[in-house]
Amino acid sequence: MTATRKVLVVDDDPAVRKSIDRVLSSKGYAVITAENGEEALRKLNEEKYDLVYTDIRMPGMSGLELQDELTRRGHAIPIVFVTGHGDVPMAVDAVKKGALEFIEKPFNAQALLPMVDHALDIDAETHRVAARLGRLTKREREVMQRVIAGKRNQDIAAELSISIKTVEVHRAGMMWKMGVDSIAELVRLVHGSGTPRRAKRSNAG
């Protein structure tokens, strides 16, 4: 990990911002803070960040509204939410809309480190898979979708109106470009990449 991995910390509590800044900075992250969603948007427009940490409930623009606005503006950036117990349903919705992690209050700032590391690992893997998928031809993608669905070569050939030999060629090319040696590995790569896990609540003060 290097200091070039920048985290934007958005929280209306200055003590929380300071604590998280201290912990993440000690592990090599470059940390920039914002006290609300509006300030966060301004900073996100000024430079690129690798991750956004944000509280869900803040005066003015909430963390959820910040997430929606980032999506609207086309900012593809991993987000880690922190939430109170009563806001867990909202945090779950945020994950469904693309957030990678959420952690429940109260938590020790040190507990945030594995969440940030995990979110960045997921984001990096998602980009790697997307890059591999981008190398596939239209036909290779069609074959891949059917292979993942468990269809046999002869069934794929019939559906796509091509020969079994052609299916085999496209299948081999697809597997090579995706960098996998088995169907199980392909399924894990395509369906497992970017899957968030719920952060465990930490009661440490």
Side-chain angles (χ1 to χ4, degrees):
M1 180 172 56
T2 68
T4 58
R5 303 183 82 176
K6 291 189 291 187
V7 178
L8 179 61
V9 174
V10 190
D11 199 299
D12 60 299
D13 187 331
V16 170
R17 294 198 303 271
K18 182 177 180 180
S19 176
I20 294 174
D21 185 352
R22 182 173 62 251
V23 170
L24 294 183
S25 295
S26 72
K27 296 301 180 180
Y29 287 106
V31 180
I32 306 297
T33 63
E35 63 179 338
N36 53 51
E38 292 84 359
E39 183 182 1
L41 284 176
R42 289 195 297 272
K43 292 187 174 182
L44 284 161
N45 283 331
E46 293 170 358
E47 57 183 310
K48 183 181 181 301
Y49 292 87
D50 297 290
L51 181 138
V52 172
Y53 156 99
T54 181
D55 199 348
I56 278 190
R57 289 190 182 273
M58 296 180 290
M61 178 181 288
S62 70
L64 294 177
E65 291 171 334
L66 173 61
Q67 180 188 32
D68 290 340
E69 184 61 19
L70 289 175
T71 300
R72 189 186 71 80
R73 297 186 183 190
H75 287 290
I77 182 170
I79 299 176
V80 173
F81 279 101
V82 62
T83 175
H85 178 70
D87 296 331
V88 168
M90 287 193 293
V92 171
D93 286 339
V95 169
K96 290 178 180 177
K97 291 193 293 184
L100 294 184
E101 290 278 7
F102 73 87
I103 184 171
E104 295 179 51
K105 298 175 182 177
F107 70 95
N108 187 305
Q110 289 285 346
L112 185 63
L113 277 172
M115 310 302 168
V116 170
D117 290 341
H118 180 67
L120 286 170
D121 287 344
I122 287 177
D123 187 60
E125 178 62 15
T126 299
H127 280 84
R128 283 194 293 269
V129 174
R132 294 181 189 180
L133 288 170
R135 296 169 58 196
L136 301 181
T137 65
K138 181 176 181 246
R139 186 64 85 188
E140 286 171 342
R141 189 179 291 267
E142 290 172 341
V143 169
M144 182 188 73
Q145 291 168 347
R146 288 162 175 80
V147 167
I148 289 176
K151 296 184 177 181
R152 300 174 302 171
N153 284 355
Q154 51 264 49
D155 298 324
I156 297 173
E159 285 188 19
L160 298 178
S161 300
I162 56 179
S163 70
I164 294 177
K165 181 63 177 178
T166 301
V167 171
E168 292 172 350
V169 170
H170 288 309
R171 180 168 175 159
M174 174 270 295
M175 297 286 283
W176 180 76
K177 289 178 181 178
M178 294 301 294
V180 297
D181 297 316
S182 69
I183 302 306
E185 190 179 355
L186 177 67
V187 171
R188 284 194 297 269
L189 183 68
V190 174
H191 290 304
S193 175
T195 301
R197 62 173 172 80
R198 176 180 164 180
K200 294 182 178 179
R201 178 176 177 177
S202 170
N203 291 315

